[in-house]
Amino acid sequence: MRVVMIGTGYVGLVSGACFADFGHHVTCVDKDASKIERLENGIMPIYEPGLDTLVETNVRAGRLDFTMDPKAAISEADIVFIAVGTPTRRGDGHADLQYVYAAAEEIAEYIDDYCVIVTKSTVPVGTGDEVEKIIAKARPRASFDVASNPEFLREGAAIDDFKRPDRVVVGAQTEEAFAAMQELYRPLYLNETPLLKTERRTAELIKYAANAFLATKISFINEISDLCDAVGANVQQVAKGIGLDNRIGSKFLHAGPGYGGSCFPKDTLALTKTAQDYGSPMSIIDTVIKVNDKRKASMVDRIVKACGGSVEGKTLAILGLTFKPGTDDMRDAPSLVIIPGLQALGANIRAYDPEGMEEAKGMFKDIELCDDAYHAMTGADAAVILTEWNEFRALNLKRVVETLSSNTLVDLRNIYPLDEVQNLDYHSIGRPNQPK
Ligand code: UGA
């Protein structure tokens, strides 16, 4: 099939490369000339494991190309995806749909024969209806359908998530559109991946409901972890104990410094705005958002307490800046709240992140960016693990103690087994300091 992907951000680029890998011909479109040029030269605009090789292989096979001028590709396309950004609109928290609607206008100009236009960007309920109206108004006689096909990719594991998804959701209004989408996802269909067909508005809501539910699980376990601290219980064992119940499931029950990233914060907020607009408020999600905001800020107090009640004039080594491992993405990362919070209390910050250093530059004032974890810890009064990168899981703890001027390690991701850290002044989340 001939596929066009409008937008070469995270979702568009990963999805485009994966569809090409399924054997389709994919043209990725972007307005950013330097991005297109870099992609044509094999330089990825984001860090995502395996993406560079996937792009290179498919470009070489003639199945994937990049352009700023989508006219020819759209006129020949069977399916055109809209995968542009839907950031939080400044001021009111709604998803900003200007790029989606601009893409719809552009598609309307060039479509020729029947084609399915699919929103892959996370868009509020009813956006598909608007896209349909825009195209129908501009081209009253054009033959097209508008479908919704939300993505459930996690940064850092996006290619695997795309190729081995738990499900594919397609929301459409006609059998013709469903048939085209089924053909597109044929390799997954043959693998017996469930393909859930719904009405378009339902598919749009599934995406928000999924992210909001996962965010709820995280805020839930974070509050349980505070209770574990208070009563002397172990949150990892509580998570295991409840997660073994299939009705609950073990995933997304890792306590930490609060969720971040480009999706959960934005999507939970947008969902509450939609709910308000339709007179059906979602007080659970309102609370999840508040709990998460408070969570990030409360990590500052936790670190101060671990440092003996004050960080004034102390140097802290921060290990990990990105919102999670496997990405260079800093959007809504807990580090953006925690580091300025510590600095406001007089701490000096030395920091290291395996992939996020370039992104982090300019996001923090007065911090020293270091070459590696040990460099960051050299002479520091304490080390704080903010992101659970694999290389922080395998620190030489003897060397950590020798490198720091104290032996204080604050682990906000609970990555160390308690019996391995008995020689340290070790502080984790929702776990007593002694192994049981
Ligand atoms: C999330 C969803 O997991 C994807 O299914 C979805 O497609 C994507 O948003 C999106 O809407 O595009 P992502 O933001 O890449 O993916 O990252 P997650 O792995 O979900 O992590 C989000 C945040 O939750 C991170 O800050 C992570 O540290 C935190 N988290 C995750 C926890 O604190 N505890 C957990 O148990 C899991």
Side-chain angles (χ1 to χ4, degrees):
M1 295 182 99
R2 300 193 79 82
V3 178
V4 173
M5 193 64 66
I6 312 263
T8 59
Y10 198 85
V11 172
L13 188 55
V14 171
S15 307
C18 288
F19 282 132
D21 214 48
F22 284 176
H24 303 298
H25 184 277
V26 181
T27 299
C28 289
V29 182
D30 208 290
K31 295 215 176 310
D32 181 342
S34 70
K35 205 177 194 186
I36 292 293
E37 195 187 320
R38 274 180 287 144
L39 280 166
E40 279 172 338
N41 290 310
I43 303 166
M44 298 301 110
I46 49 163
Y47 171 75
E48 177 64 32
L51 185 62
D52 45 0
T53 315
L54 194 73
V55 168
E56 191 195 322
T57 315
N58 284 284
V59 167
R60 207 178 297 149
R63 290 189 296 262
L64 180 62
D65 49 47
F66 303 96
T67 183
M68 283 183 65
D69 177 12
K71 185 176 174 189
I74 292 177
S75 68
E76 288 171 10
D78 301 300
I79 300 185
V80 180
F81 278 94
I82 300 179
V84 295
T86 52
T88 299
R89 198 162 63 194
R90 220 179 276 170
D92 66 5
H94 280 279
D96 183 349
L97 296 173
Q98 61 167 312
Y99 306 109
V100 173
Y101 296 150
E105 306 267 4
E106 188 166 34
I107 294 165
E109 233 178 283
Y110 303 133
I111 47 172
D112 201 347
D113 289 337
Y114 173 78
C115 124
V116 185
I117 292 115
V118 189
T119 51
K120 199 137 196 61
S121 309
T122 300
V123 290
V125 177
T127 305
D129 303 355
E130 277 308 307
V131 169
E132 192 169 272
K133 271 189 218 152
I134 290 170
I135 300 173
K137 189 169 169 219
R139 296 283 303 279
R141 262 177 287 178
S143 162
F144 71 96
D145 274 310
V146 174
S148 161
N149 173 219
E151 57 83 19
F152 303 102
L153 312 176
R154 285 164 305 161
E155 292 190 17
I159 293 169
D160 203 51
D161 282 351
F162 194 98
K163 292 190 169 179
R164 275 170 281 277
D166 292 335
R167 79 304 203 186
V168 171
V169 173
V170 175
Q173 316 295 88
T174 68
E175 276 314 313
E176 216 172 348
F178 282 125
M181 293 303 284
Q182 198 152 320
E183 178 60 22
L184 180 73
Y185 279 105
R186 206 169 126 80
L188 295 185
Y189 198 62
L190 295 177
N191 275 348
E192 298 189 355
T193 302
L195 191 146
L196 180 67
K197 296 182 187 174
T198 70
E199 199 273 336
R200 194 168 57 212
R201 286 184 159 233
T202 305
E204 289 170 340
L205 190 54
I206 286 172
K207 167 68 194 211
Y208 280 99
N211 273 0
F213 190 78
L214 293 171
T216 304
K217 275 186 106 174
I218 298 169
S219 279
F220 174 82
I221 202 67
N222 282 341
E223 286 206 316
I224 290 284
S225 82
D226 282 346
L227 187 58
C228 285
D229 279 328
V231 302
N234 181 319
V235 71
Q236 281 178 318
Q237 289 169 0
V238 173
K240 191 160 190 189
I242 62 174
L244 284 169
D245 183 330
N246 282 336
R247 292 169 303 174
I248 296 173
S250 59
K251 294 188 177 150
F252 279 70
L253 286 180
H254 298 289
Y259 60 76
S262 65
C263 305
F264 288 175
K266 166 174 82 74
D267 294 349
T268 45
L269 190 62
L271 180 61
T272 61
K273 296 294 169 191
T274 302
Q276 278 165 20
D277 286 354
Y278 284 82
S280 179
M282 299 197 66
S283 52
I284 292 178
I285 308 306
D286 285 333
T287 306
V288 165
I289 295 169
K290 278 194 206 119
V291 168
N292 195 58
D293 289 345
K294 229 172 89 194
R295 180 83 186 161
K296 291 180 185 170
S298 75
M299 292 299 113
V300 174
D301 302 335
R302 196 175 269 271
I303 296 165
V304 170
K305 206 166 151 208
C307 292
S310 168
V311 289
E312 170 112 56
K314 292 187 177 162
T315 298
L316 302 180
I318 301 289
L319 307 185
L321 296 168
T322 54
F323 81 97
K324 67 176 211 174
T327 177
D328 58 357
D329 200 336
M330 291 288 304
R331 285 176 285 181
D332 274 308
S335 62
L336 296 171
V337 174
I338 297 170
I339 290 176
L342 292 167
Q343 288 175 317
L345 297 173
N348 305 309
I349 304 292
R350 294 164 62 82
Y352 167 71
D353 187 282
E355 292 295 337
M357 301 297 265
E358 208 41 52
E359 288 288 313
K361 272 184 200 157
M363 289 196 161
F364 301 99
K365 275 193 205 131
D366 303 324
I367 76 168
E368 193 178 336
L369 294 173
C370 300
D371 301 336
D372 61 34
Y374 296 102
H375 182 211
M377 287 189 276
T378 305
D381 294 287
V384 183
I385 298 172
L386 278 195
T387 316
E388 70 277 33
W389 285 95
N390 275 340
E391 64 178 81
F392 303 149
R393 291 177 190 272
L395 291 172
N396 176 339
L397 295 177
K398 201 164 159 263
R399 193 171 161 202
V400 168
V401 176
E402 285 162 9
T403 311
L404 289 171
S405 69
S406 75
N407 64 346
T408 304
L409 177 64
V410 185
D411 175 4
L412 299 184
R413 298 287 183 169
N414 287 351
I415 57 179
Y416 277 95
L418 293 170
D419 55 5
E420 280 182 24
V421 288
Q422 290 308 300
N423 294 335
L424 291 167
D425 173 28
Y426 176 78
H427 304 261
S428 57
I429 286 196
R431 299 190 303 174
N433 275 358
Q434 295 301 316
K436 290 243 164 70

